[in-house]
Amino acid sequence: MRLDKFDLNLLVVLDALLEERNVTKASMRVHIGQSATSGALARLREYFQDELLVPVGRKMMLTPLAESLVEPVRDTLLKARATIARKPNFDPTSAERRFIIYASDYVTTVMLTDSIERIAKLAPKIAIDIRTPSRDIFELFDRGEIDLLVLPEPYMTRIHHIKKMWFEDEQVCIVWTGNTVVGETLSFEEYMAMGHASVRFSDDRSIMFEDWFLPRFGKERKVEVTVDNFGTLPLLVLGTNRIATMHRKHAEFVAKLLPLRIVKTPFNMPPIVEMMCWPKYLDHDPAHQWLRGVLFEQ
């Protein structure tokens, strides 16, 4: 199909080329041969009267015109996909749909599990695919491969789509019920003298909340053991005199299942704000609106 002498089929290839900046990778992404992708690039260069991709050393770089095309081309394709997928009416009792949600295991535990139970009762044919945020999370979101993304507020500055606060939480300390060091209260000196268990994010190797703690107190905690997820963290203090600092909602959840005590932190920390974000082209999709409604009713 052509629009103003432009072959609309080339938009898919153009999007892949602008994203991958490599003919071979772009051909694999759109599932056509490398020669066909090279031919499409030649036609695109002819239409735009621009090289679009130029070799710089061993890499291909986008020309200024190509850079200006990245966002509008992606938005055009995402809107087209949303329009094709949208149904005029949405009946949760019979609708079949799969939603991809990226959220930490902490958010999944304290918020999503109850919602998933409710969805199973209200919409038995709706599938929910929950995944842990990874290094390429923002790239995946921009490509339209994520229906909902839940992240702490500071991380949302990189996303220019629809964002809304979902819930707030605070930090508390947890210790084993047999801990012989911590009583009902905890002083800052005791906190700093103890061994700590903490979450270390695997992508950037930063220890959870250390970037906030160190500049304010000028001291590093004595971190003895780290893990790359929130769910395992409480297990690392069991049978020891270690301490862990974690979200209250999560601490209260695990304290019902494990021999753990919750103790107030010996310092004040601003609340943790978890934001929910979704692509703007899905804002008026009836099925997506229904899903958000279920989650926000938590």
Side-chain angles (χ1 to χ4, degrees):
M1 179 179 177
R2 292 182 177 273
L3 182 65
D4 294 333
K5 299 182 180 181
F6 181 79
D7 184 352
L8 292 178
N9 294 315
L10 292 176
L11 272 180
V12 177
V13 182
L14 176 57
D15 180 58
L17 287 167
L18 294 175
E19 178 70 32
E20 301 294 346
R21 305 184 185 195
N22 181 286
V23 172
T24 301
K25 291 181 179 179
S27 66
M28 294 173 63
R29 181 167 157 184
V30 297
H31 306 292
I32 62 176
Q34 186 171 337
S35 59
T37 305
S38 296
L41 176 58
R43 293 167 63 191
L44 287 163
R45 283 170 167 167
E46 181 180 358
Y47 180 85
F48 286 105
Q49 294 294 296
D50 187 89
E51 285 297 299
L52 299 178
L53 282 89
V54 294
V56 178
R58 296 183 178 182
K59 297 182 179 180
M60 298 289 282
M61 302 294 291
L62 300 184
T63 65
L65 175 62
E67 289 281 3
S68 71
L69 292 173
V70 173
E71 187 171 344
V73 168
R74 180 180 296 138
D75 284 348
T76 298
L77 289 176
L78 292 177
K79 289 176 183 176
R81 290 183 185 127
T83 301
I84 294 170
R86 183 180 302 174
K87 302 294 188 292
N89 299 307
F90 175 74
D91 180 2
T93 61
S94 59
E96 296 185 25
R97 181 114 172 220
R98 176 172 168 268
F99 292 101
I100 298 176
I101 301 175
Y102 274 73
S104 68
D105 60 318
Y106 148 65
V107 171
T108 299
T109 299
V110 304
M111 295 296 287
L112 285 176
T113 48
D114 287 343
S115 296
I116 297 303
E117 180 181 350
R118 186 159 178 245
I119 289 170
K121 296 174 181 176
L122 298 175
K125 294 183 180 179
I126 294 292
I128 306 294
D129 185 350
I130 303 173
R131 305 179 186 181
T132 303
S134 54
R135 185 187 297 273
D136 59 350
I137 185 71
F138 299 109
E139 178 185 331
L140 293 172
F141 190 89
D142 286 339
R143 290 212 306 254
E145 297 182 21
I146 298 174
D147 293 297
L148 280 173
L149 174 61
V150 183
L151 287 175
E153 187 175 27
Y155 293 97
M156 286 294 186
T157 56
R158 295 181 55 179
I159 295 181
H160 304 290
H161 284 261
I162 301 173
K163 293 169 273 193
K164 187 175 180 180
M165 188 190 84
W166 191 11
F167 67 95
E168 288 186 346
D169 206 349
E170 64 176 348
Q171 296 282 5
V172 295
C173 296
I174 59 166
V175 294
W176 176 46
T177 53
N179 188 299
T180 59
V181 176
V182 179
E184 294 300 316
T185 60
L186 179 69
S187 69
F188 184 78
E189 290 71 23
E190 290 172 329
Y191 180 84
M192 293 304 298
M194 296 178 68
H196 290 253
S198 188
V199 174
R200 181 185 292 275
F201 298 111
S202 57
D203 282 346
D204 58 15
R205 299 185 179 277
S206 62
I207 295 177
M208 179 187 171
F209 107 93
E210 201 69 29
D211 292 340
W212 178 89
F213 186 87
L214 184 59
R216 283 161 180 79
F217 299 102
K219 299 178 181 179
E220 290 187 1
R221 298 175 301 154
K222 188 168 63 175
V223 178
E224 295 180 345
V225 59
T226 60
V227 66
D228 65 358
N229 64 86
F230 293 100
T232 310
L233 181 63
L235 302 176
L236 302 179
V237 303
L238 293 177
T240 75
N241 281 335
R242 292 194 191 106
I243 190 169
T245 307
M246 62 186 297
H247 309 91
R248 175 178 287 280
K249 290 181 185 295
H250 196 186
E252 291 175 346
F253 178 87
V254 296
K256 296 176 183 177
L257 307 173
L258 299 171
L260 295 168
R261 287 194 296 118
I262 298 174
V263 184
K264 191 178 185 301
T265 59
F267 47 82
N268 293 321
M269 236 186 125
I272 299 151
V273 179
E274 291 284 347
M275 304 288 292
M276 186 185 296
C277 178
W278 58 93
K280 51 192 174 186
Y281 64 87
L282 287 176
D283 192 40
H284 299 293
D285 179 81
H288 204 278
Q289 288 179 329
W290 176 85
L291 175 66
R292 299 196 306 267
V294 172
L295 297 179
F296 278 115
E297 283 177 9
Q298 266 292 95

